Every structure is written in structure tokens, then in C-alpha cells.
């Protein structure tokens, strides 16, 4: 049974509309209205900068419409930060404000027994007193209320209700139909790429390859109708997968699939009318205001309909809507997987505080894993001493095993049969690895990939092992080789949610 439609001016409808607009308002503030240098980390400290920018904006902008636009987006961000401190949820105050039938408010956690806070009124107050401290004082008031409650009830924490399409959430369980489709498309990649790109080496998942994919789609289909007639054929399905993989590997999105639900309301995901139903799509559920896209629809929109002759430009524009990983995001994921402690995450984020919430390009995600102490790297540039460098890599790898594996007696030497070899003792047992060096300055990365397995703990006692991390290497990226130490279950999640391949 569908939900009852509310009158347009009812509090329920107005709150629903505000909640529906929240992601747009937050993205507008981040991508358009605020200049670079604002940290969108939703922390109380960020409100100091937001208040200063509001004052500057009101001094420099005379256009009423632009002022209103800025205030509405600031209301969305301010409210989400307040909810992060005091818990609770968005609500609607029915008292008319100017020509508006009420305004959105944030209700702190009910156990705090506080009145709702109206972001619009708080912003108006800040603009009137112009001290730059109005937001900070409200934060302090809420924190004091939380502290008093925690004093009365040790261990109590305020609970924030989930804000749809804004707060991070766990990905949907992978549907069997999606699992089968992904496996089929992965296996068919070489044949699809040969067909799509005439054998040219263009399927390296670099963002620029979306321009080539777009050109191929436009060459193959003149109209939407032609595309729709071929939507289930290998070329279109392969194009959908490739586009989604470019997004996944460069932005850390995940594949999702929503099966048909006969009880779903018309138009919502799961219903027959929704473009999100029974079609693979890429999403960022674990990121605040993350992006989402249905590759099939994005490809389809490139083409004109027979009756209008127009199509949209740019598959690359879809990437703009997705949020890359950050040190904060990687840390939260590692903590969720029990790979690091909360204290470790806090210490790393404090160390990299200046850019902890800034977006990471794909080639820097493995570096973040190393910073959190779950990965090691082999230097891709020249090194001072080959033997010392190999010994350092083995020492760092062994340290991650918590004593399960010890490495000693590392030596690089000449061998009459195998040429130059690296030998070391694993838990007292000699291991020999053939190496090949084009010069005395560069490590043999292929040899490292082969011998790193010797540092894996015995599988009967510890399922963790070292995985080679593969990622999209953008221009001017580093040439390090990374190895992450994880259980198979942890590796599967890291691969799925960080846009990596772990082998």
C-alpha cells in the first residue's frame, strides 16, 4: 500500500521537501558557493569558517536571491553539524516566517530535553551581532548539555537519526544477480575492449577513457531508440560495466543492485517505474553526500531522441558528482573492519590534519593504507642500497604479523646458477629468491611480489596475508608497489569500497 499524499503546505510535506533538498544544498555549498580552503568535515571547528564566510558574503553580495541561496545551503550544513553534536533529527516548526509557512529545525536527542534549534534564526542572529562567535556559543551550549547528561548517565552518547542520502550507511548486500553480472562482464572484458576500441589499449580505467567510450557509443547509435533496442547486448552491457568500473576505481564507489519489489511505492527504487530497479549501478553509500549513477542511463542520455535531436554532453561530467576517498574515510573503514584501533585512526588524522578530509586520487589511497599501518610499500624510484632496501621491506612486513613471522639474515649475493639472488631466513628456515636488476639503484618489484608470500603467517593459525594492491595510476603518480596485510574478508571489503584490486 502506498503512503498517503500530504498537502503541499503540511508540516510533513514541507519537512519531506527540505530533507529531499538537503544533499543538493550541501553539494551547492561545497562545489559552488564556498571558495577553496573550507574543510567540509562537518566538525564544530568548520563552523567558525562558515560564519566568517557568511559575514563576508553579506558584505560583498547585494543580490537578494544569491544571499538567500547561500543562507539555505549554510542552514543545511549548520544543521547537520549541530545534529552531529547533540544527536536527534530534523523537524519542522510551523510558525510562519516572513512569507514562509514555517522553517526547518533540528531537534536534539530527546534525552537532552532541549528545545529545537532553528538554523535560519541562528544564522540571522550571527549576521546581526557580527561577532563571528554565534555558532561557537551554540556549539558550547549543546556540548554542555551533552556533558551534563553523560555525568548523570555514564557512557551515554547522543544518537543522531540517519539523514537520507547525506549520512554514510552500509552498502546493500550484494544481490546474486549483480554478482553473476559482474563476473560475466569481467571475464568478457578483453573481447569487449577488442570490439569497442578496435584492439587499441584504451581500457586502463583512466578517467580520460570515458571520452573514448562516449565517442564509441555515439558512433554505434544514432538515437536513444537504437540504443534501447540493444541494451541487453554484450556491447552495451560491457559499456555499462566499464563506465561503472572507471567510477569505482577512481572514486571508491561500489556496485549496487535493487531487485523488483511488488510492495514498493510507484517511482521509488524497487518499483517498475524507477530507473534504479533491476539494473547495476554505482553508489557511495559509505560517504557523506556520496554520488550515485546508473551507467545504463548515463550512456543512454548521450543520445538524442528521434523527436528532439538532442543529447547530453560528457560522461566525464558524471565523475564530478562522486566523492573520492580521504584519510578520514579510509580510517573509518579500517576501524569498521577492526584492522586498526580508534586511537590509531585519531593519531593518523591528527598527523595529517591539514588534508585529512581532502579527497585522495586513486594512486594515493594505498599510501593512506600504509599511513594507517596496514600496508607496506616498495620504493619505485632509485634507492641508496639494494640489500638494505630489501631488508627494510621484509622487516616492515614481518612487523605486521605480530610476531608470527620473523625475518633474519637478509643478504643479496651472486649465485653461479641463478645469477643474483636474495636470501633470508623465515622463522629460521632459509628462503632464496632470484632477482634481476637493470642497475644497482632500482629494486626488482617482480621479485618482491614473489617473495612477499613468504612473510604470510601460517594459514592454519592466521588467515591474514599480503595482497598486491593494484590501482589506477594517473599522470605523474608514484611508481611504488604496495602490499596490504588483511584477511580474505577484509580484503574483499577494501577492494569493493576503495576502488582497488587486491591480488
Amino acid at each position: 500500500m502506498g503512503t498517503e499524499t500530504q498537502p503541499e503546505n503540511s508540516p510533513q510535506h514541507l519537512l519531506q521537501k527540505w530533507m529531499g533538498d538537503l544533499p543538493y544544498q550541501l553539494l551547492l555549498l561545497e562545489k559552488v558557493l564556498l571558495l577553496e580552503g573550507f574543510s567540509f568535515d562537518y566538525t564544530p571547528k568548520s563552523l567558525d569558517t562558515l560564519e566568517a564566510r557568511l559575514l563576508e558574503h553579506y558584505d560583498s553580495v547585494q543580490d537578494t536571491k544569491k544571499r538567500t541561496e547561500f543562507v539555505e545551503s549554510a542552514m543545511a550544513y549548520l544543521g547537520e553539524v549541530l545534529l552531529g553534536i547533540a544527536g536527534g533529527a530534523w523537524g519542522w516548526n510551523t510558525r510562519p516566517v516572513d512569507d514562509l509557512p514555517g522553517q526547518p529545525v533540528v531537534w536534539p536527542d530527546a534525552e537532552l530535553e532541549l528545545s529545537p534549534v532553528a538554523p535560519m534564526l541562528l544564522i540571522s542572529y550571527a549576521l546581526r551581532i557580527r561577532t563571528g562567535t554565534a555558532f561557537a556559543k551554540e556549539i558550547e551550549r549543546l556540548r554542555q548539555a551533552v556533558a551534563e547528561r553523560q555525568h548523570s548517565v555514564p557512557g551515554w552518547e547522543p544518537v543522531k537519526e540517519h539523514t537520507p542520502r547525506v549520512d554514510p550507511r552500509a552498502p546493500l548486500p550484494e544481490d546474486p544477480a549483480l554478482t553473476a553480472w559482474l563476473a560475466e562482464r569481467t571475464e568478457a572484458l578483453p573481447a569487449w575492449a577488442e570490439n569497442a576500441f578496435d584492439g587499441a589499449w584504451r581500457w586502463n580505467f583512466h578517467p580520460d577513457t570515458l571520452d573514448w567510450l562516449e565517442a564509441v557509443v555515439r558512433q554505434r547509435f544514432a538515437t536513444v531508440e537504437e540504443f534501447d533496442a540493444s541494451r541487453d547486448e554484450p556491447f552495451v552491457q560491457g559499456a555499462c560495466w566499464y563506465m561503472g568500473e572507471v567510477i569505482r576505481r577512481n572514486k571508491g564507489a561500489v556496485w549496487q543492485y535493487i531487485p523488483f519489489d511488488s510492495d514498493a511505492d510507484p517511482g521509488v527504487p524497487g518499483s517498475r517505474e524507477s530507473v534504479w530497479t533491476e539494473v547495476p549501478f554505482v553508489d557511495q553509500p559509505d560517504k557523506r553526500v556520496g554520488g550515485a549513477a546508473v551507467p545504463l542511463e548515463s550512456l543512454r542520455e548521450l543520445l538524442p531522441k528521434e523527436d528532439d535531436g538532442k543529447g547530453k554532453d560528457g560522461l566525464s561530467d558524471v565523475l564530478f558528482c562522486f566523492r573520492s576517498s580521504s584519510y578520514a574515510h579510509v580510517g573509518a573503514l579500517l576501524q569498521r573492519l577492526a584492522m586498526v584501533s580508534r586511537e590509531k585512526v585519531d593519531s593518523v588524522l591528527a598527523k595529517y590534519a591539514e588534508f585529512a578530509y581532502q579527497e585522495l586520487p586513486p594512486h594515493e589511497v594505498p599510501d593512506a593504507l600504509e599511513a594507517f599501518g596496514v600496508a607496506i610499500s616498495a620504493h619505485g624510484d632509485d634507492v641508496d642500497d639494494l640489500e638494505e632496501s630489501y631488508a627494510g621491506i621484509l622487516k616492515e612486513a614481518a612487523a605486521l604479523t605480530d610476531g608470527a613471522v620473523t625475518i633474519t639474515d637478509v643478504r643479496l649475493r651472486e649465485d653461479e646458477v641463478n645469477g643474483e639472488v636474495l636470501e633470508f631466513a623465515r622463522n629460521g628456515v632459509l628462503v632464496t629468491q632470484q632477482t634481476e636488476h637493470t642497475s644497482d639503484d632500482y629494486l626488482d618489484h617482480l621479485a618482491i611480489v614473489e617473495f612477499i608470500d613468504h612473510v604470510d603467517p601460517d594459514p592454519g593459525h592466521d588467515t591474514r596475508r599480503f595482497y598486491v594492491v593494484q590501482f589506477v595510476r594517473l599522470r605523474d603518480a608514484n611508481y611504488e608497489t604496495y602490499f596490504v596485510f588483511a584477511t580474505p574478508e577484509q580484503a574483499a571489503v577494501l577492494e569493493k569500497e576503495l576502488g582497488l584490486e587486491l591480488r
Side-chain angles (χ1 to χ4, degrees):
M1 180 180 293
T3 56
E4 184 179 349
T5 303
Q6 299 291 337
E8 286 192 4
N9 282 334
S10 69
Q12 295 90 341
H13 178 81
L14 293 169
L15 176 59
Q16 185 180 33
K17 185 177 184 303
W18 169 255
M19 297 291 289
D21 287 343
L22 266 179
Y24 166 77
Q25 296 290 358
L26 293 169
L27 285 174
L28 181 66
L29 189 70
E30 179 178 0
K31 303 291 188 179
V32 179
L33 299 178
L34 283 183
L35 301 174
E36 293 184 5
F38 185 85
S39 178
F40 281 87
D41 55 10
Y42 294 81
T43 61
K45 186 177 180 181
S46 68
L47 293 185
D48 294 339
T49 305
L50 179 63
E51 187 169 353
R53 297 286 178 86
L54 273 166
L55 296 176
E56 293 172 5
H57 190 269
Y58 251 65
D59 289 340
S60 60
V61 175
Q62 302 302 317
D63 188 303
T64 302
K65 185 177 180 180
K66 290 184 177 180
R67 282 184 169 184
T68 300
E69 181 182 60
F70 197 105
V71 167
E72 288 181 348
S73 291
M75 285 168 54
Y77 186 86
L78 173 59
E80 281 296 308
V81 176
L82 296 179
L83 289 172
I85 296 167
W90 285 97
W92 193 266
N93 187 299
T94 58
R95 182 178 179 180
V97 179
D98 298 328
D99 296 330
L100 302 175
Q103 61 182 306
V105 296
V106 292
W107 279 95
D109 189 302
E111 294 191 32
L112 293 175
E113 299 181 346
L114 295 175
S115 299
V117 180
M120 182 190 296
L121 296 182
L122 183 54
I123 289 174
S124 297
Y125 175 69
L127 292 171
R128 186 172 69 253
I129 65 172
R130 303 186 67 80
T131 62
T133 60
F135 295 169
K137 289 183 177 179
E138 181 61 19
I139 292 292
E140 183 58 33
R141 184 181 75 88
L142 295 177
R143 279 177 164 169
Q144 182 63 33
V146 171
E148 290 175 0
R149 180 63 181 169
Q150 290 174 330
H151 180 74
S152 302
V153 185
W156 179 84
E157 292 290 341
V159 177
K160 179 186 186 296
E161 291 188 19
H162 181 81
T163 303
R165 296 167 48 231
V166 172
D167 283 331
R169 68 185 191 283
L172 297 171
E174 188 166 301
D175 190 276
L178 176 62
T179 303
W181 184 81
L182 291 173
E184 179 184 1
R185 298 309 344 144
T186 302
E187 184 177 355
L189 172 61
W192 176 85
E194 179 75 22
N195 180 22
F197 297 132
D198 294 326
W201 183 260
R202 293 179 177 175
W203 50 279
N204 58 5
F205 305 105
H206 191 285
D208 289 349
T209 59
L210 288 182
D211 295 334
W212 295 326
L213 181 61
E214 179 180 337
V216 170
V217 170
R218 292 185 189 277
Q219 289 170 4
R220 293 226 174 192
F221 306 105
T223 64
V224 166
E225 289 77 11
E226 289 183 11
F227 181 87
D228 288 345
S230 303
R231 60 175 289 165
D232 294 326
E233 295 180 0
F235 172 78
V236 171
Q237 291 298 301
C240 291
W241 178 84
Y242 184 81
M243 178 183 176
E245 280 296 291
V246 171
I247 295 172
R248 184 186 76 84
R249 296 172 189 239
N250 286 275
K251 296 292 188 176
V254 298
W255 283 104
Q256 302 270 259
Y257 184 92
I258 300 175
F260 170 67
D261 181 0
S262 59
D263 295 327
D265 292 327
V268 305
S271 68
R272 288 297 183 201
E273 299 84 356
S274 174
V275 298
W276 303 91
T277 302
E278 292 187 324
V279 61
F281 64 93
V282 280
D283 191 12
Q284 293 184 313
D286 61 336
K287 295 177 183 175
R288 191 183 292 271
V289 202
V294 179
L296 182 69
E297 289 299 310
S298 298
L299 294 168
R300 188 175 184 273
E301 290 175 352
L302 294 173
L303 304 167
K305 295 182 179 178
E306 289 183 348
D307 57 353
D308 65 13
K310 295 181 180 178
K312 290 187 178 180
D313 292 330
L315 289 181
S316 297
D317 293 342
V318 179
L319 280 172
F320 179 79
C321 300
F322 285 82
R323 191 177 304 279
S324 298
S325 298
S326 65
Y327 272 81
H329 170 248
V330 172
L333 177 58
L334 294 176
Q335 186 179 340
R336 171 157 65 88
L337 295 175
M339 296 179 71
V340 296
S341 66
R342 172 65 181 273
E343 291 73 22
K344 178 64 175 180
V345 172
D346 290 344
S347 67
V348 173
L349 296 185
K351 180 178 180 181
Y352 298 104
E354 291 186 8
F355 50 88
Y357 293 88
Q358 293 179 10
E359 296 189 358
L360 294 174
H363 62 277
E364 292 185 10
V365 173
D367 196 54
L369 292 173
E370 185 173 23
F372 282 104
V374 299
I376 63 170
S377 65
H379 195 50
D381 209 337
D382 59 323
V383 297
D384 294 332
D385 186 282
L386 290 174
E387 184 176 274
E388 288 184 4
S389 297
Y390 286 124
I393 292 169
L394 288 164
K395 180 181 179 181
E396 291 176 5
L400 294 185
T401 69
D402 302 318
V405 176
T406 59
I407 301 294
T408 58
D409 304 323
V410 180
R411 187 162 68 105
L412 187 65
R413 64 173 179 80
E414 292 292 333
D415 183 87
E416 294 182 0
V417 177
N418 297 312
E420 196 170 32
V421 300
L422 179 74
E423 65 178 25
F424 54 90
R426 178 200 186 273
N427 291 350
V429 178
L430 184 66
V431 174
T432 301
Q433 171 67 48
Q434 186 175 355
T435 62
E436 183 176 348
H437 302 99
T438 57
S439 77
D440 293 335
D441 298 323
Y442 292 90
L443 296 168
D444 182 348
H445 285 243
L446 181 58
I448 299 172
V449 170
E450 292 176 351
F451 73 61
I452 200 68
D453 291 347
H454 291 291
V455 197
D456 293 344
D458 296 330
H461 300 90
D462 189 339
T463 61
R464 293 178 298 173
R465 73 175 183 86
F466 286 95
Y467 292 83
V468 183
V469 183
Q470 298 180 8
F471 51 93
V472 178
R473 296 182 184 270
L474 304 182
R475 295 186 183 90
D476 302 321
N478 59 43
Y479 290 93
E480 268 74 356
T481 299
Y482 292 88
F483 304 88
V484 64
F485 189 59
T487 67
E489 295 78 13
Q490 291 167 340
V493 176
L494 292 176
E495 188 173 44
K496 181 178 180 180
E497 299 190 27
L498 292 181
L500 306 171
E501 278 192 85
L502 302 181
R503 297 291 182 262

